[in-house]
Amino acid sequence: MVFVPIFFIQQEAGQLYSDIAVAISTAILVSMIVAVTVIPSLGAHLDFRGNDNVTKQPRWMRACLWMVEQMTRNAPRRFAAVSAGIAGGLAIFIGLTPPAAYLPEGEEAKTFASMNAPASYNLATMDEIAQTLQRELEPHVGASPEAFTRGETDVPPIRTMGIQAEAQSLRIIAETIDPAHIEALMEALTTRFGAYPDMRAFAARGSIISSNDGGTRSITLDIAGNNLNELYTAANAIYQRAQQVFDNPRIQSRPSALELGQPLIEITPNWTRAAELGIDTDDLGTTIAVLTNGAYLDDFYLSDEKIDLYGYGPDGGDIDLDRLSTLPVHTPQGFSVPLNTLAEIRETVGTSTLRRVDGRRSVTLNIIPPRSVALEAGIERTQREIITYLRDNQDLPATLDVTITGAGNQLDATREALTDNALIALAIVYLLLVAIFAHWGYPLLILATIPLGAAGGIVGLWLMNTLGGWLPLIGIKAISQPFDMITMLGFLILMGTVVNNPILVVHQARANLRAGMSNVTEAVYNAVASRLRPIAMTTLTTLCGLSPLVFLPGEGTELYRGVGTIVLFGLLGTAFVTVTFLPALTVMVLNRQVKKTTA
């Protein structure tokens, strides 16, 4: 069962494979040690020896059988036990099921922090900012943690750092010495980025599973329309509203500058004149590109080396805008004409980058809510409190389409796939049980315990997150296990494991009736009594084998801890159901079957 999550992990994640291999090896080793040490000791103290004398049975067995007796004594109690089981399971699923997440983040102690500049900044300004930040951050590379611990600086010790500056952006990739300090470093960088006028800051942790832009937690909004002014105005409104809805979210926009303040030169061809001279669209565009900034023309291979060919005009891309209208354009007839005879040249302002999605002008916003907000809850709040709110207040025109993509779409698709797989697995389990019992009805008794076992897994996940949040009170790092897609695989695993104990009880109850027992309640009671020891031993060994996956700390444990939690507590829940809900339900069903047979 512990091998399932591996198929969801990228091949290059070598450290992740190593962590999972260590966890699996540890689980197997602990299971072997427990089997030859703990189980024999428990057997001596719990007295797993068979004894038909009720007074000589161990106390734990007498307690379980007393519970069975109380639940099956009469029809009202049986009905109450079954009703309580169903109602309790529904209450657990409705009240304790956490919002879904997509995949474990697999985060590293590394940040990718970007500074996005408006159109008024240029490369020289961004380079000056980069040098200023480098001088400020370099003393913290390899520094001692004392100053940060004492609160004298907000920058923790840095292991490695790199800075890259471009005309409209600046990026810092940095890694902390202590992985616990990465959030502090991200906050320090975004604070410094935001100190510059009109700058937008975005920082995300590195991940070995997804892209380094918060991919597994990113709520991606694609805003599409035809009017750039409307598009950018709406994108800025969503940006500001998201900052109000979420507490300190991290937001990245593409394009990075959501404004129409970039100086541009528009060249509108005179198609009639161009056609007279035999110049088409591609020829004119390539000519203008070559004469100004240069253009890619073709490539060829020299031995095994690929060589790109670029074309440049006489000035090698260093062109004066005043001379743009007189640039010579060579015609197929063999003579040259100035550019202004083929096109209208106009100075204007616009956007430096034009982004298209499915052929439409688009802006994409990546909203990463705080870590306390799961992806599913974040998507719901984004739809209700941002998109719907802005549409109701006329800040989001009806001419613009806003769609949620990225991890949100992948979450829905993966959840649908898991649901389909669960239904298929349920059908296979049912058909196998039909083959075992040679009956179409009795397997339904066993399948009825699966939802209650799954409810036990939900309770375990809730307990882990609740108790894990209290760990800092005793100086231990808090544990928060998201309800991600790999955790949900635990429910598929449960389908093949929680049915084992109910099979033993139902099969033995039927065998008791065939052996001559006329009282159904007595038959079920004796079935539980005779199977209680093997049920307890197999449950204990399985729980001990799963314990390392759930309780061993370490980096990367969030990748498989969820699966172990669901299965471990699901088995505990099934053990409880086996002595409460299942006996009551079995007596009710077998009573009706006996009455039909004797009628």
Side-chain angles (χ1 to χ4, degrees):
M1 62 183 71
V2 291
F3 290 92
V4 177
I6 294 179
F7 296 104
F8 281 80
I9 292 155
Q10 296 176 358
Q11 292 183 354
E12 63 268 20
Q15 183 60 45
L16 179 58
Y17 279 120
S18 176
D19 290 341
I20 292 179
V22 169
I24 293 173
S25 302
T26 304
I28 295 174
L29 179 61
V30 170
S31 298
M32 294 175 61
I33 295 174
V34 166
V36 298
T37 57
V38 177
I39 297 302
S41 301
L42 283 175
H45 287 84
L46 297 179
D47 192 4
F48 285 112
R49 295 170 297 170
N51 199 319
D52 294 331
N53 190 334
V54 176
T55 60
K56 294 184 179 181
Q57 288 176 340
R59 282 179 293 179
W60 69 270
M61 183 176 290
R62 293 202 301 270
C64 291
L65 294 177
W66 176 85
M67 191 176 298
V68 173
E69 182 183 4
Q70 296 301 313
M71 296 291 178
T72 60
R73 177 174 296 179
N74 51 49
R77 291 196 179 190
R78 293 192 290 268
F79 180 79
V82 173
S83 300
I86 296 174
L90 289 175
I92 289 171
F93 279 110
I94 294 173
L96 298 183
T97 302
Y102 177 42
L103 285 176
E105 296 175 42
E107 292 179 328
E108 303 173 290
K110 184 182 296 183
T111 182
F112 294 76
S114 300
M115 172 193 290
N116 298 321
S120 56
Y121 286 73
N122 55 30
L123 181 58
T125 304
M126 298 303 293
D127 182 61
E128 182 180 349
I129 294 174
Q131 293 181 24
T132 301
L133 291 173
Q134 182 175 353
R135 287 193 297 269
E136 184 176 354
L137 296 174
E138 273 185 345
H140 300 283
V141 177
S144 173
E146 281 78 12
F148 176 74
T149 304
R150 291 194 301 266
E152 298 174 2
T153 178
D154 62 337
V155 181
I158 300 173
R159 185 186 303 276
T160 59
M161 181 186 69
I163 301 180
Q164 177 185 1
E166 297 179 357
Q168 301 294 164
S169 65
L170 183 147
R171 196 182 201 197
I172 294 180
I173 303 175
E175 181 181 5
T176 56
I177 295 177
D178 187 345
H181 293 163
I182 187 62
E183 292 289 341
L185 178 61
M186 293 167 64
E187 187 65 29
L189 292 178
T190 53
T191 299
R192 282 160 175 74
F193 289 176
Y196 292 92
D198 300 324
M199 285 291 185
R200 285 179 174 169
F202 175 82
R205 290 186 64 170
S207 173
I208 60 175
I209 290 181
S210 67
S211 59
N212 297 316
D213 58 359
T216 62
R217 298 183 59 245
S218 174
I219 303 170
T220 305
L221 299 181
D222 283 330
I223 312 159
N226 296 320
N227 187 301
L228 274 180
N229 188 36
E230 281 188 354
L231 188 61
Y232 283 5
T233 300
N236 279 296
I238 293 176
Y239 193 106
Q240 295 169 7
R241 179 62 183 168
Q243 290 180 318
Q244 297 172 5
V245 170
F246 298 109
D247 181 19
N248 192 27
R250 306 189 187 278
I251 308 176
Q252 183 182 41
S253 64
R254 292 175 287 169
S256 58
L258 299 179
E259 59 181 21
L260 298 173
Q262 178 71 34
L264 296 176
I265 299 294
E266 281 189 356
I267 301 177
T268 305
N270 183 336
W271 297 116
T272 303
R273 180 60 175 157
E276 291 174 354
L277 297 176
I279 300 176
D280 59 20
T281 305
D282 291 339
D283 293 338
L284 184 59
T286 302
T287 300
I288 294 174
V290 168
L291 294 175
T292 53
N293 293 328
Y296 170 79
L297 300 178
D298 203 350
D299 60 63
F300 73 98
Y301 285 87
L302 182 63
S303 299
D304 292 332
E305 183 180 2
K306 178 176 175 290
I307 299 177
D308 296 326
L309 296 179
Y310 286 83
Y312 294 93
D315 296 320
D318 185 15
I319 192 72
D320 189 347
L321 293 181
D322 294 333
R323 295 176 47 223
L324 186 62
S325 61
T326 61
L327 286 176
V329 178
H330 193 71
T331 66
Q333 287 80 7
F335 58 88
S336 297
V337 297
L339 178 60
N340 59 3
T341 64
L342 293 174
E344 177 187 357
I345 303 173
R346 184 167 60 94
E347 293 187 23
T348 183
V349 292
T351 177
S352 59
T353 304
L354 185 60
R355 177 176 170 81
R356 294 184 182 273
V357 176
D358 295 331
R360 300 188 65 188
R361 294 177 177 180
S362 302
V363 171
T364 298
L365 296 179
N366 294 97
I367 303 172
I368 304 178
R371 301 180 69 84
S372 59
V373 180
L375 179 61
E376 184 180 30
I379 292 174
E380 182 182 350
R381 292 181 62 183
T382 299
Q383 186 67 51
R384 183 183 67 253
E385 300 180 35
I386 298 178
I387 299 175
T388 302
Y389 175 87
L390 292 177
R391 287 207 186 277
D392 292 343
N393 287 273
Q394 309 299 319
D395 292 326
L396 195 57
T399 55
L400 299 180
D401 295 330
V402 181
T403 56
I404 298 178
T405 59
N409 273 356
Q410 294 166 349
L411 170 63
D412 292 337
T414 307
R415 186 159 44 188
E416 290 177 4
L418 281 176
T419 301
D420 294 340
N421 291 338
L423 294 176
I424 294 172
L426 192 63
I428 293 174
V429 170
Y430 174 69
L431 293 177
L432 288 174
L433 292 175
V434 169
I436 293 172
F437 285 95
H439 194 280
W440 293 96
Y442 292 124
L444 296 177
L445 281 173
I446 298 167
L447 294 185
T449 63
I450 292 179
L452 297 182
I458 293 293
V459 171
L461 193 63
W462 174 79
L463 284 173
M464 170 165 287
N465 288 327
T466 301
L467 299 178
W470 296 345
L471 292 178
L473 297 176
I474 57 175
I476 301 177
K477 183 180 177 182
I479 294 177
S480 178
Q481 179 60 45
F483 190 49
D484 53 52
M485 295 295 106
I486 293 184
T487 298
M488 293 181 191
L489 289 176
F491 295 120
L492 291 179
I493 299 171
L494 274 178
M495 288 187 185
T497 54
V498 301
V499 297
N500 295 334
N501 295 340
I503 286 175
L504 296 176
V505 173
V506 175
H507 180 270
Q508 187 60 45
R510 292 184 65 206
N512 290 343
L513 290 175
R514 287 195 299 265
M517 283 190 183
S518 58
N519 189 302
V520 173
T521 303
E522 183 182 354
V524 173
Y525 178 89
N526 287 338
V528 176
S530 63
R531 298 300 186 184
L532 199 53
R533 295 183 184 90
I535 287 174
M537 287 188 287
T538 55
T539 300
L540 280 174
T541 54
T542 307
L543 297 183
C544 290
L546 287 170
S547 294
L549 292 178
V550 179
F551 299 112
L552 285 185
E555 293 296 326
T557 53
E558 74 275 6
L559 297 172
Y560 42 76
R561 186 194 296 125
V563 173
T565 301
I566 294 294
V567 178
L568 187 149
F569 285 93
L571 291 175
L572 281 175
T574 303
F576 179 75
V577 167
T578 302
V579 296
T580 55
F581 173 83
L582 180 63
L585 182 62
T586 304
V587 171
M588 292 174 64
V589 172
L590 292 181
N591 267 332
R592 295 188 62 181
Q593 187 69 22
V594 170
K595 289 178 181 179
K596 287 182 180 180
T597 305
T598 57

